[in-house]
Every structure is written in structure tokens, then in C-alpha cells.
């Protein structure tokens, strides 16, 4: 016997989760299997659709307008503008704590590096921080968190010409935390509002934090913290801090490890559970059986190979970081189904001499037809019942275009929905 | 513990392994573990740190990234580097293991560092060492206590004795010791007629199901200490469910899986037990048996920790052929279909608040019970969230860890309270202890519900 489903999604990142959700909402019996935790825990949690063109033009005001001008092999061109919109609607519905769906225009958000980033959807926690908002801003850094140097970030933001005054101050987080406390430690303290010792007195954490910031506040109308304000109850924590401070409070998205990414992951898994899908994480898919069609795949568990079979499969194993695409001295390959990955034969053509140059490898990934089915070297479908989604796809450079999450959501949605329709 | 009530050979104040203990070098041949490739693949993304339940509440715990790749490097680059004692604060929940996108073997690194710390740096006469050793060797205490269950149940929870245990040994007096069963699983099994009876039952079930009577369906049950001494009803459910599907069950000779020993750095103790377990299981595997465990920490130990830590003949073979009890049926039978067609009434027609143990999560089984029982008429299983229960085996029994353990568990307690049901469910005996302790609920094992649904 094998563990059976109609649609089997391989990979539990943004691509796989959206795929499974789309398929489940289409009514299919869906199973999602994923090896390790996805790159969401490292990503900012912002959902970028398209911030710059592949030629570096931007920041773009309307990403949808720019999609038809992208190169033909770009994943957005394969699925089309309408699908990108539909996919984001699914996302908006599944993750109600995100904002940005009131407009087609990109929002401009301050980053923890002090730059401004065009993005399509952002967590509610970041919304009081929009760079287009003209309210003066105080940024508060935590002494122990070297990734967010508030005065430095403020100076950078100021230099980008934001339409407000911005200042940075650094505080010690209340309580006696170790110098390299984890972001989850701060979040937990604020979530539970546990008491911390401040000058010999025990004070609830939210209040204690506000007390540290209060004397620093001049006439700014909003205060930004690095994204550490809770894991389970971020809204309640922001409200409490706002009350204590008398101004709006927001979070600046941070680099890895990222609480907003973690919260987004939780929200998507919860939506998937709600939609009735089965989920298994912790073990990799290592092999498959089948010629033109995939009959079954094998999940490896400590040496045992567990067969899983389905009618339709979605490959959403990620790019180089997620280990969905790998390379060795011989070449670049996709390790699960050995799908063809187009790439330059000479390794020296994979990258440029410059660190931030236009590297080819950034666009490496499987090539597909318009139905997202991977193609082999002679442009024939690798398998009848396999589609690919997310950063395992080639033809785009998410870091340069600021399109990572958007491509994963759009292609995940398309692959999941079509797989479900075909499985019926 | 008061002398008057103490069974003569049950003395919790001295190491109670029943065997002489010589502290030995755990890794005489330290080349055994070249963890360098693992350490090298760490790219410091800190995903592991976001999973650590201890780092979330303990201001002094530096987290898995430090305990794993960083500590390992420090040790390699500097011969005099002493292992940081914070490694003893890791509860061995193994959540970090499951997290790393780069496949760094974090728990293996923690386990080896802890073993080395205990064997080379820890004072063997310290109260902490002795206490840890007693907690880790639960099987020995349980074995003795099960000889006089009523007396032991009384003595172990006798107030003044508990006060002394906390003061002199650092075993928290906040908790109730688990009750010992009047009849152990193994005694029940023997009384019932052992393997011969199981063969007969399996054959009868095959006839009922229209399967060939001599079908090759046989499993070796690794019941572990807990279902033997404390919750034999779980073991009985496992046997009855398997026989219902036509499997012949054997209950081979076995010792502790070693889980509490790994967590306390007692690798030498663990190895001795592992040798017995691997030897009896590997013989059976050769005869076509699969090893089945009802405790997720036991299956975790046999599947992952053994091959990561020990080099014993047959160890990989045993790992490959070990399964969790419900998982195995999901793979080999149409369990989903049978559950969908079944219903429960009576005692187990309940709403359950289900908690997935960390060690089941690590085997990809954290969703199994919820998904399996989704369509079962008469019972409802609700997941109470993905937090750690906080007890992590022996961790929550230590006086200095008790508060942290409860703080970690807080989220689970809250979710249990909000859940519809007032009965808990989990696969892990110590998680069950913590759930019961924090909520007052009675806790059942998924196998018990399965038995109620599928067995006449
Ligand atoms: C540091 C960083 C910062 C980023 N910042 C942003 C940002 O600000 N805005 C934005 O829009 N995007 C950002 N991105 C990009 C965006 O997060 C990714 O493009 C997107 O999340 C990729 O999702 P995915 O599902 O395609 O792949 P992944 O997230 O890589 O997920 C792949 C999953 O597949 C699993 N898997 C791999 N192999 C197997 C196998 N054999 N069997 C089973 N499972 C397998 C992996 O364990 C993993 O869970 C960032 C990415 C990174 C790394
Ligand atoms: S998750 Fe893995 S790669 Fe990331 S910091 Fe931890 S050990 Fe290193
Ligand atoms: S095993 Fe658990 S407690 Fe130990 S470092 Fe890893 S996540 Fe933390």
C-alpha cells in the first residue's frame, strides 16, 4: 500500500503552501510533504510582486502593468497577469493580517538596512511605518540586536529623501536578557507579558518596554521597532505599546531569523489545515517511480522508503537555498525528478566577476511550458502529471527584481489549481 | 523518602542502575564522529534558534546554533576548550534538528557534546550527577517499584519524602510520580499466552478478513518502559489493534530505549541498553519482523539516535525497519478507510485535546492523529497547537527547571483549556504527564481510540 491522495505537493515553502491551498480549495484531496523548514523563516515576510524590471528600472509603481513587458521565459509571463491577481486574492483571503490589497500600486516600506522597498503586501504590523506616510518617526533599536542600528537606519532613510523627519535611539531591552538572546525570547516575553525586573521592581514586559521609550519620544507621531513584537499576539502587543506611548507603533521587517516570516508560515499552515489538507514535514522525497507519468514518490525516513502516490504532483522544493536546485562541478540539476535545468555548460559563465553583478545562476531553475510542466532539454514535457512552482522555477532573478514571494504565490496558485482540476 | 515505606532495594539516593558504574571515556576513539561536514554546512541563518523552546524562556541558554556547530568548532580549534555547561540545559526535544534547511545534524552534535561533558567534566559525586543518573535510569526504578506497585505509588508521592527528594536531590516536589500498574504489560502478555496466543488471534482475524491464513504479517513490539510499568492499557491496545489487522505480535526482550540517558549525557548507560535492544530487534528483522513502538521517543531513539551515536552490529537495519505503531498501519493497511467506516461510543466517545510530542514531530508524525480521526464518527480530535509541552522527559522533573518547563507548556495548557474536549491525547508518556499536570485532564493514547473504533 502507499499513502494516497489526489494531489501531492512536495515542498512546504510559500510556493508549496499556496499550491496545496489552491488545490484544496478547488476540492481536491491534497497532501503536502516537506523536508525542512522553508526560507520563509529567513525572508522578511513582505510579499513583493515586482519592484524592479530585470533591467533594474524602478522602483515600479504598478507591478501588474510591468508584467507583460517581462521576458517570455519569466514565470509571470507563463501564468499571465490575471492569475497573479487571483493568486494574491487567495493569499489575502488566507492571511487576513496582511495589507495592501486596496490598491494595485506598490507600497514603499522601510527596511532594516534603511532603504525603501517597493512591495505589494505587508503585515499589518508594518503598516504604520509606510514611507509614503508623512508622520515624523522615531526608530528604536535594541542594544543587543546588532542587526538593527536605529540611528544608522534613520540616517539612511533620511538620505533616501523620505517625506518626514526620522530619528534613531537605542535602548536596552528591559529584563536581564543574555547579549545574544533569540528573537523568539523577546517575542515570548511580550506575548506572555511576563514580568521583568527593572531597577529592582517587577514590571510587565510591554509596560517596561514602553517606559524605556517614553522619555526618548519627542514630538514624533509613530515609533518603529525591529520585528520582535510577539509571535502569537503581535496585534495586542502593538496596541498595548501604542496606548502606553500615545503614538502609533510599527515593526520594521528584519533579516533572518524573521518573526514576520514565521508568523506568515503559521498563518498559511493554519489555512491549509482549515482547508482539510494532510501535511507531513520532516522527511524528504528522494525518489520516484514512473516513465511518462509519475506513479509514486518515496519519502525517506531514517533509511525506510515510504511510498506516496497521487494523481497529480507539484514540485515546490525551492531554489538553491531551499535545496530544490543543486549544483556540483559537473552542472546544475533538480535532485528529486532529475528535471532538466538549462544552464551554461561552462561554469565560468554561471556568474560575473562582480559580487552584485548580473549572475546567470540567479535565474537557474527548471523551465516549463505555459501549464507549468517542466520541460526536458528538447522542450518536451518531462512528465504528464508534474507541475513546478516557486523558486525551483528558472527564468527570473527574485533578488534583483524583488519578486520572490509574488512568483511563489502566483505559480503555486496556478500549479495547485490546475493539478486539482486535472485530478478530478 | 521515609525508610519505613521504602522497598528494601529501592534507594533513590544512590545511583540505582543495579550495575557497577565506572566513569569511562565515552569516545575512546573520537574519530568515530567527524561532524565537521555538518558544522561546515551551517550558514548561520538561525532557523534552528527560532525553534528552540528552551531559548524562548531561559535567559541563559544560548540556543541550538551555539550548542551545535559553534561549540563543535570551538572544540576543534582549541584543545583546551571545555564544553560549555549550558549544553546540559538543552532538553533534547530535537526540534532544532527538524528545522535546519542545511541539514546540520544538530541533535547529534548536542548529544555527543553532552556525553563528553558528562564523562569528562562533570563531578561524579555531585548531587546533580547522581540525580540525573537516577532520572535517566527510570527503568531500573520502575522495575523495582513495579514489584510492589501499591507501596511504591504511596511512597513515591508521600509528602515528606518528596520534600526530602527536592531538598537533597533536586527532584521537584511539584509533580506527582506516575502511578505504577498493578500488572505490567509483560505479565499480562505472558498470562495471555504470549506469542502463541497472538498467532492464533492473528490467524482468526485473517480468516475474518479473507486473507490467506499464513500471510506473512508479523511485528515485534517495542513497548518501552512506560507502557510496560505505567500504562499497560496502551500496550494492550497496540496488540489488539495489530491482531485485528491480522498481525502476529511478539514482545522481545528489551531495555530502556535510552531517551532519558541521551538527554542527560549518560551515553554509556544508553549504549548498554541499546546493545540489548538492537541485538534482539535485529534478529527479528532478519526473520521478517518490523519493530513497532507506541512511544514516539522510543521510535525516535531506535530510528535516529542509535545510528547517530553508536556503532552496533545491525543498528542501521533496525533503524530502517522501525516504525511508530499507527504510522505502520497507515503505510500498510487502508487505515483511513477503516476509520472512516467505523464509529466509537462509550468511554472513548470524546472530544480530545491532542498534543503532538516533539519527537513525533521529528518523525513527521505530528499531524497523524488529527488527520486520521478527522472522519471518525463519535470522537473529535483537536490539535492544541505546535508548542512544546515543556517537560521533555526528565527536564521538567528537575527542581531548577520546573518553572521553565511550566512556562514552555503554558501555551499548550491555554490551548487545551480553549479546546472543546476535556480529555487529552498524545503519544508521549511524559508529555501526557505534563498535560495532566497542567490541565487536570485525563490523557489517552491514539492507539486506545483506534482500539475502541476498530476492535470488537
Ligand atoms: C534571506 C531571504 C530573504 C528574502 N526576502 C524576501 C523579501 O523581502 N520579499 C520577497 O518577496 N521575497 C523574499 N525572499 C524570497 C522568498 O522568500 C522566496 O522566493 C520564497 O519564499 C520561496 O518559496 P518556495 O516555496 O519556492 O521555496 P522555499 O522557501 O525554498 O521552500 C522549499 C521547501 O521545499 C522543501 N524541500 C526541498 N527539497 C525537498 C524534498 N526533496 N522533499 C520534500 N521537501 C523538500 C524545503 O525543505 C523547503 O521547505 C527572500 C528569500 C531569502 C532566502
Ligand atoms: S538552522 Fe542550520 S544552517 Fe541555520 S544556523 Fe542553525 S545549524 Fe546553522
Ligand atoms: S534539542 Fe530542543 S532544547 Fe535542545 S537546543 Fe535543540 S531545540 Fe533547543
Amino acid at each position: 500500500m502507499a499513502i494516497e491522495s489526489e494531489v501531492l505537493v512536495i515542498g512546504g515553502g510559500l510556493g508549496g503552501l499556496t499550491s496545496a491551498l489552491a488545490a484544496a480549495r478547488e476540492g481536491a484531496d491534497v497532501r503536502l510533504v516537506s523536508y525542512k523548514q522553508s526560507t520563509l523563516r529567513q525572508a522578511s515576510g513582505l510579499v513583493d510582486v515586482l519592484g524592479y524590471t530585470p533591467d533594474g528600472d524602478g522602483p515600479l509603481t504598478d507591478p501588474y502593468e510591468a508584467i507583460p513587458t517581462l521576458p517570455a521565459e519569466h514565470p509571470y509571463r507563463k501564468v499571465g497577469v490575471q492569475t497573479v491577481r487571483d493568486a494574491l486574492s487567495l493569499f489575502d483571503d488566507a492571511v487576513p493580517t496582511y495589507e495592501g490589497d486596496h490598491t494595485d500600486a506598490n507600497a514603499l516600506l522601510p527596511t532594516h538596512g534603511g532603504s525603501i522597498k517597493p512591495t505589494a503586501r505587508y503585515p499589518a504590523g508594518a503598516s504604520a511605518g509606510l514611507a509614503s506616510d508623512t508622520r515624523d518617526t522615531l526608530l528604536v533599536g535594541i542594544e543587543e540586536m546588532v542587526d538593527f542600528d536605529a540611528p544608522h537606519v534613520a540616517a539612511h532613510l533620511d538620505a533616501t529623501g523620505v517625506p518626514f523627519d526620522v530619528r534613531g535611539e537605542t535602548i536596552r531591552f528591559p529584563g536581564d536578557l543574555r547579549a545574544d538572546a533569540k528573537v523568539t525570547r523577546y517575542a515570548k516575553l511580550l506575548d506572555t507579558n511576563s514580568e521583568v525586573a527593572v531597577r529592582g521592581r517587577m514590571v510587565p514586559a510591554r509596560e517596561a518596554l514602553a517606559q524605556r521609550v517614553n522619555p526618548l519620544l519627542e514630538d514624533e507621531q509613530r515609533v518603529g521597532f525591529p520585528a520582535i513584537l510577539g509571535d502569537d499576539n503581535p496585534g495586542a502587543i502593538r496596541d498595548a505599546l501604542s496606548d502606553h506611548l500615545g503614538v502609533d507603533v510599527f515593526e520594521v521587517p528584519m533579516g533572518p531569523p524573521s518573526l514576520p516570516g514565521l508568523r506568515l508560515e503559521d498563518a498559511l499552515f493554519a489555512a491549509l489545515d482549515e482547508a482539510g489538507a494532510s501535511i507531513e514535514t520532516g522527511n524528504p522525497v528522494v525518489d520516484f517511480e514512473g516513465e511518462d507519468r509519475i506513479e509514486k514518490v518515496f519519502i525517506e525516513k531514517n533509511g525506510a522508503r515510504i511510498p506516496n502516490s497521487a494523481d497529480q504532483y507539484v514540485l515546490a522544493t525551492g531554489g538553491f537555498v531551499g535545496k530544490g536546485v543543486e549544483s556540483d562541478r559537473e552542472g546544475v540539476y533538480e535532485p528529486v525528478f532529475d528535471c532538466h535545468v538549462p544552464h551554461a555548460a561552462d561554469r565560468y559563465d554561471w556568474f560575473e566577476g562582480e559580487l552584485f553583478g548580473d549572475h546567470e545562476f540567479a535565474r537557474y531553475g527548471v523551465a516549463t511550458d505555459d501549464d507549468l510542466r517542466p520541460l526536458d532539454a528538447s522542450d518536451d514535457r518531462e512528465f504528464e502529471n508534474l507541475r513546478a512552482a516557486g523558486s525551483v522555477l528558472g527564468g527570473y532573478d527574485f533578488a534583483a527584481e524583488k519578486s520572490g514571494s509574488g512568483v511563489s504565490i502566483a505559480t503555486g496558485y496556478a500549479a495547485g489549481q490546475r493539478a486539482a482540476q486535472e485530478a478530478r | 523518602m521515609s525508610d519505613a515505606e521504602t522497598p528494601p532495594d529501592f534507594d533513590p539516593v544512590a545511583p540505582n542502575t543495579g550495575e557497577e558504574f565506572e566513569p569511562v571515556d565515552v569516545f575512546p576513539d573520537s574519530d568515530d564522529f567527524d561532524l565537521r561536514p555538518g558544522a561546515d554546512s551551517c550558514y548561520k541563518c538561525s532557523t534552528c534558534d527560532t525553534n528552540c523552546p528552551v531559548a524562548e524562556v531561559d535567559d541563559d541558554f544560548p540556543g541550538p546554533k551555539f550548542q551545535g556547530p559553534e561549540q563543535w568548532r570551538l572544540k576543534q580549534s582549541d584543545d583546551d576548550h571545555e564544553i560549555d555547561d549550558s549544553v546540559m540545559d538543552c532538553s533534547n526535544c530535537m526540534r532544532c534538528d527538524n528545522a535546519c534547511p542545511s541539514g546540520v545534524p544538530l541533535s547529534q552534535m548536542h548529544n555527543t557534546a553532552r556525553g563528553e561533558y558528562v564523562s569528562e567534566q562533570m563531578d561524579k559525586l555531585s548531587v546533580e550527577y547522581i540525580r540525573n543518573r537516577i532520572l535517566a535510569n527510570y527503568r531500573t526504578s520502575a522495575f523495582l517499584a513495579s514489584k510492589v506497585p501499591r507501596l511504591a505509588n504511596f511512597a513515591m508521592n508521600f509528602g515528606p519524602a518528596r520534600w526530602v527528594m527536592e531538598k537533597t536531590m533536586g527532584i521537584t516536589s511539584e509533580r506527582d510520580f506516575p502511578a505504577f500498574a498493578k500488572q505490567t504489560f509483560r505479565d499480562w502478555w505472558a498470562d495471555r499466552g504470549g506469542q502463541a496466543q497472538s498467532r492464533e488471534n492473528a490467524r482468526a482475524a485473517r480468516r475474518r478478513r479473507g486473507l490467506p491464513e499464513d500471510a506473512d504479517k508479523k511485528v515485534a513490539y517495542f513497548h518501552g518502559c512506560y507502557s510496560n510499568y505505567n500504562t499497560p492499557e496502551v500496550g494492550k491496545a497496540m496488540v489488539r489493534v495489530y491482531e485485528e489487522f491480522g498481525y502476529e505480535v511478539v514482545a522481545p526482550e528489551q531495555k530502556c530505549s535510552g531517551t532519558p540517558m541521551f538527554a542527560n549525557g549518560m551515553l554509556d548507560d544508553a549504549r548498554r541498553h541499546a546493545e540489548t535492544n538492537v541485538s534482539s530487534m535485529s534478529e527479528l528483522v532478519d526473520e521478517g519482523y518490523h519493530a513497532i513502538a507506541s512511544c514516539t521517543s522510543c521510535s525516535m531513539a531506535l530510528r535516529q539516535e542509535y545510528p547517530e551515536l553508536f556503532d552496533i552490529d545491525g543498528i542501521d537495519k533496525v533503524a530502517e525497519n522501525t516504525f511508530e505503531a499507527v504510522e505502520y498501519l497507515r503505510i500498510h493497511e487502508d487505515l483511513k478507510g477503516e476509520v472512516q467506516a467505523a464509529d466509537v461510543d462509550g468511554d472513548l466517545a470524546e472530544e480530545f485535546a491532542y498534543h503532538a510530542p516533539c519527537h513525533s514531530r521529528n518523525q513527521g508524525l505530528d499531524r497523524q492523529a488529527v488527520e486520521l480521526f478527522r472522519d471518525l464518527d463519535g470522537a473529535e480530535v483537536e490539535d492544541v497547537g505546535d508548542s512544546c509541552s515543556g517537560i521533555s522527559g526528565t527536564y521538567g522533573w528537575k527542581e531548577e527547571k520546573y518553572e521553565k518547563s511550566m512556562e514552555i507548556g503554558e501555551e499548550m495548557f491555554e490551548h487545551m483549556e480553549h479546546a472543546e474536549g476535556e480529555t487529552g491525547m498524545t503519544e508521549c508518556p511524559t508529555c501526557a504527564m505534563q498535560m495532566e499536570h497542567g490541565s487536570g485532564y485525563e490523557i489517552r493514547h491514539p492507539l486506545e481510540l483506534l482500539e475502541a473504533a476498530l476492535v470488537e
Side-chain angles (χ1 to χ4, degrees):
Chain A
M1 291 273 308
I3 295 180
E4 288 170 6
S5 52
E6 287 173 334
V7 175
L8 183 75
V9 177
I10 306 167
L14 203 43
L17 285 163
T18 318
S19 218
L21 190 58
R25 292 212 176 167
E26 198 68 25
D29 169 23
V30 180
R31 185 167 159 77
L32 175 115
V33 297
S34 185
Y35 185 22
K36 300 287 182 170
Q37 286 172 353
S38 75
T39 55
L40 269 179
R41 287 184 184 234
Q42 302 158 48
S44 63
L46 300 181
V47 175
D48 305 340
V49 169
L50 192 66
Y52 295 83
T53 67
D55 304 329
D57 293 338
L60 299 171
T61 311
D62 182 348
Y64 304 103
E65 207 177 80
I67 288 176
T69 69
L70 293 169
E73 70 274 13
H74 196 289
Y76 282 148
R77 289 290 306 278
K78 309 262 180 207
V79 298
V81 180
Q82 189 53 44
T83 301
V84 181
R85 288 183 186 280
D86 294 345
L88 282 165
S89 302
L90 174 83
F91 176 87
D92 293 331
D93 185 59
V95 190
T97 51
Y98 268 56
E99 292 181 12
D101 56 339
H102 59 289
T103 168
D104 275 359
N106 273 328
L108 295 173
L109 268 98
T111 70
H112 68 287
S115 58
I116 300 288
K117 173 165 167 165
T119 194
R121 297 289 186 275
Y122 45 92
S127 67
L130 290 186
S132 49
D133 187 332
T134 55
R135 289 178 294 171
D136 288 349
T137 303
L138 173 68
L139 294 178
V140 176
I142 310 290
E143 205 172 284
E144 297 82 2
M145 291 187 68
V146 289
D147 294 358
F148 186 76
D149 178 346
H152 187 78
V153 178
H156 268 255
L157 279 179
D158 198 46
T160 64
V162 289
F164 50 84
D165 285 341
V166 51
R167 217 161 46 81
E169 295 272 9
T170 303
I171 59 164
R172 278 190 63 94
F173 197 86
D176 199 12
L177 304 195
R178 59 179 292 117
D180 60 344
K182 312 295 162 223
V183 290
T184 48
R185 175 76 190 119
Y186 298 112
K188 179 91 177 182
L189 267 179
L190 291 167
D191 266 335
T192 52
N193 203 16
S194 310
E195 301 206 319
V196 291
V198 181
R199 274 180 247 101
R201 216 160 54 83
M202 296 307 283
V203 186
R206 298 174 190 175
E207 194 183 324
L209 180 58
Q211 279 175 8
R212 290 265 153 110
V213 177
N214 237 329
L216 306 172
L217 194 60
E218 290 171 3
D219 34 0
E220 289 89 359
Q221 295 100 42
R222 50 180 176 165
V223 174
F225 291 90
I228 54 164
L229 305 181
D231 184 4
D232 298 326
N233 303 306
I237 295 167
R238 280 195 316 279
D239 289 348
L241 291 175
S242 294
D243 279 352
H244 286 302
L245 294 169
V247 296
D248 265 357
V249 166
F250 65 93
E251 286 184 316
V252 180
M254 297 289 295
S258 156
L259 272 179
L262 226 138
R263 297 178 198 134
L264 175 55
E265 189 177 70
D266 285 350
L268 286 169
F269 272 111
L272 193 53
D273 184 26
E274 184 93 349
S278 321
I279 303 166
E280 176 180 329
T281 60
N283 302 293
V285 171
V286 292
D287 204 357
F288 70 101
E289 248 171 40
E291 289 286 326
D292 298 334
R293 287 180 69 80
I294 295 164
E295 302 298 340
K296 50 175 86 135
V297 299
F298 295 93
I299 296 184
E300 205 210 65
K301 277 194 189 181
N302 312 97
R305 288 152 62 96
I306 321 283
N308 278 245
S309 74
D311 187 55
Q312 300 290 318
Y313 297 81
V314 177
L315 176 71
T317 45
F320 282 111
V321 181
K323 300 258 186 290
V325 179
E326 299 203 57
S327 67
D328 56 25
R329 300 201 140 258
E330 306 305 313
V332 185
Y333 59 98
E334 181 280 299
V336 181
F337 299 106
D338 200 20
C339 289
H340 173 65
V341 177
H343 62 279
D346 185 346
R347 286 178 55 232
Y348 291 94
D349 292 337
W350 295 0
F351 47 83
E352 293 287 314
E354 283 167 56
L355 188 56
F356 294 105
D358 178 23
H359 304 292
E360 280 228 15
F361 71 78
R363 288 187 295 274
Y364 285 167
V366 301
T368 69
D369 63 9
D370 286 349
D371 198 29
L372 296 176
R373 297 187 221 216
L375 298 174
D376 64 17
S378 34
D379 278 352
D380 292 327
R381 284 178 184 164
E382 295 263 15
F383 303 96
E384 278 310 308
N385 56 348
L386 178 69
R387 289 178 180 76
S391 48
V392 71
L393 294 170
Y396 75 115
D397 178 347
F398 82 79
E401 300 166 9
K402 306 279 177 252
S403 64
S405 302
V407 168
S408 290
I409 291 172
T411 55
Y413 171 82
Q417 203 187 37
R418 292 173 200 182
Q421 284 161 358
E422 197 141 318
R424 304 260 89 189
Chain B
M1 181 166 295
S2 134
D3 287 336
E5 271 88 31
T6 312
D9 46 0
F10 183 51
D11 179 5
V13 191
N16 214 331
T17 62
E19 280 151 272
E20 261 214 322
F21 178 69
E22 278 293 352
V24 291
D25 191 356
V26 179
F27 304 120
D29 176 12
S30 54
D31 293 344
D32 268 357
F33 294 106
D34 184 8
L35 297 174
R36 165 122 199 224
D40 282 355
S41 40
C42 170
Y43 66 110
K44 309 277 177 255
C45 66
S46 300
T47 304
C48 53
D49 286 345
T50 62
N51 282 260
C52 179
V54 174
E56 207 172 77
V57 301
D58 184 348
D59 292 333
D60 297 323
F61 187 61
K65 182 175 63 175
F66 174 81
Q67 301 303 348
E70 288 177 7
Q71 172 116 265
W72 194 87
R73 273 171 200 286
L74 286 172
K75 220 170 60 180
Q76 301 308 305
S77 53
D78 173 4
D79 280 346
D80 299 329
H81 174 75
E82 296 242 305
I83 294 175
D84 195 76
D85 60 5
S86 61
V87 74
M88 295 307 287
D89 293 334
C90 155
S91 73
N92 199 35
C93 71
M94 300 172 90
R95 280 191 172 234
C96 49
D97 228 19
N98 207 15
C100 177
S102 216
V104 176
L106 286 147
S107 69
Q108 184 182 15
M109 290 178 151
H110 301 163
N111 274 331
T112 52
R114 201 162 31 229
E116 201 174 313
Y117 175 83
V118 169
S119 115
E120 285 168 18
Q121 283 163 244
M122 209 170 174
D123 174 6
K124 304 297 173 300
L125 297 173
S126 66
V127 170
E128 189 188 357
Y129 176 81
I130 295 168
R131 187 263 326 257
N132 288 0
R133 196 120 199 262
I134 292 169
L135 287 174
N137 283 282
Y138 175 75
R139 182 180 185 275
T140 311
S141 319
F143 169 75
L144 295 166
S146 71
K147 301 286 173 209
V148 279
R150 290 229 310 276
L151 183 55
N153 287 341
F154 170 74
M156 296 294 272
N157 288 306
F158 179 59
R162 294 305 304 278
W163 184 82
V164 172
M165 278 169 88
E166 175 162 307
K167 290 301 160 217
T168 61
M169 294 178 42
I171 294 179
T172 179
S173 60
E174 299 283 343
R175 293 185 187 278
D176 294 331
F177 273 104
F180 294 100
K182 307 264 171 336
Q183 184 191 34
T184 64
F185 169 78
R186 291 197 77 91
D187 287 344
W188 171 82
W189 173 254
D191 282 359
R192 182 178 178 256
Q195 187 179 359
Q197 182 61 42
S198 186
R199 178 172 305 147
E200 219 166 279
N201 295 354
R203 291 214 165 145
R206 289 179 206 153
R207 271 196 302 274
R208 262 199 321 276
R209 289 175 166 258
L211 297 170
E213 210 163 297
D214 55 355
D216 193 25
K217 293 177 97 172
K218 44 192 184 181
V219 296
Y221 180 31
F222 190 88
H223 47 67
C225 312
Y226 209 80
S227 76
N228 187 36
Y229 297 117
N230 303 92
T231 55
E233 60 279 9
V234 172
K236 293 177 199 171
M238 141 82 207
V239 170
R240 292 184 186 128
V241 168
Y242 268 72
E243 286 175 353
E244 176 69 25
F245 279 100
Y247 289 89
E248 180 184 325
V249 181
V250 292
E253 190 208 341
Q254 53 192 276
K255 291 197 166 166
C256 170
S257 69
T259 304
M261 299 162 186
F262 301 136
N264 286 289
M266 313 275 170
L267 293 191
D268 205 47
D269 288 351
R271 177 190 288 270
R272 263 184 291 112
H273 291 255
E275 275 164 0
T276 305
N277 296 336
V278 171
S279 121
S280 62
M281 287 298 170
S282 70
E283 267 173 39
L284 287 163
V285 167
D286 285 338
E287 293 170 33
Y289 286 84
H290 288 107
I292 304 298
S294 50
C295 160
T296 42
S297 291
C298 294
S299 51
M300 189 74 210
L302 266 63
R303 290 175 127 170
Q304 184 179 327
E305 285 161 318
Y306 282 12
E308 274 183 0
L309 296 171
F310 308 128
D311 183 16
I312 302 174
D313 239 13
I315 210 162
D316 291 323
K317 195 168 63 191
V318 172
E320 281 165 36
N321 288 287
T322 298
F323 297 85
E324 189 274 333
V326 178
E327 173 191 32
Y328 186 81
L329 293 176
R330 259 170 75 229
I331 299 168
H332 296 278
E333 304 293 331
D334 178 19
L335 193 59
K336 194 171 167 181
E338 303 226 3
V339 169
Q340 274 169 354
D343 58 65
V344 280
D345 47 28
D347 213 22
L348 283 133
E350 280 281 351
E351 310 245 5
F352 294 96
Y354 172 77
H355 162 77
C358 295
H359 287 180
S360 83
R361 192 169 292 281
N362 224 300
Q363 296 167 74
L365 304 175
D366 49 324
R367 305 260 318 162
Q368 180 170 273
V370 202
E371 286 169 9
L372 178 64
F373 295 122
R374 240 177 209 162
D375 310 307
L376 175 64
D377 275 346
E380 208 62 61
V381 176
E382 184 181 341
D383 198 337
V384 294
D386 62 0
S387 70
C388 170
S389 79
I391 190 168
S392 287
T394 60
Y395 177 88
W397 280 93
K398 299 174 181 172
E399 192 246 332
E400 73 280 13
K401 304 275 195 305
Y402 174 76
E403 292 293 334
K404 286 172 201 157
S405 148
M406 293 303 281
E407 208 182 321
I408 297 172
E410 189 57 42
E411 204 177 314
M412 178 187 78
F413 303 141
E414 264 172 39
H415 285 149
M416 284 179 76
E417 198 171 310
H418 289 146
E420 288 286 322
E422 309 231 311
T423 306
M425 175 179 278
T426 192
E427 286 91 349
C428 169
T430 54
C431 287
M433 252 180 237
Q434 177 87 332
M435 292 168 83
E436 190 181 343
H437 183 61
S439 68
Y441 292 2
E442 188 191 351
I443 317 297
R444 312 301 292 257
H445 190 288
L447 278 169
E448 295 179 78
L449 181 54
L450 208 51
E451 181 194 11
L454 302 182
V455 183
E456 296 299 294

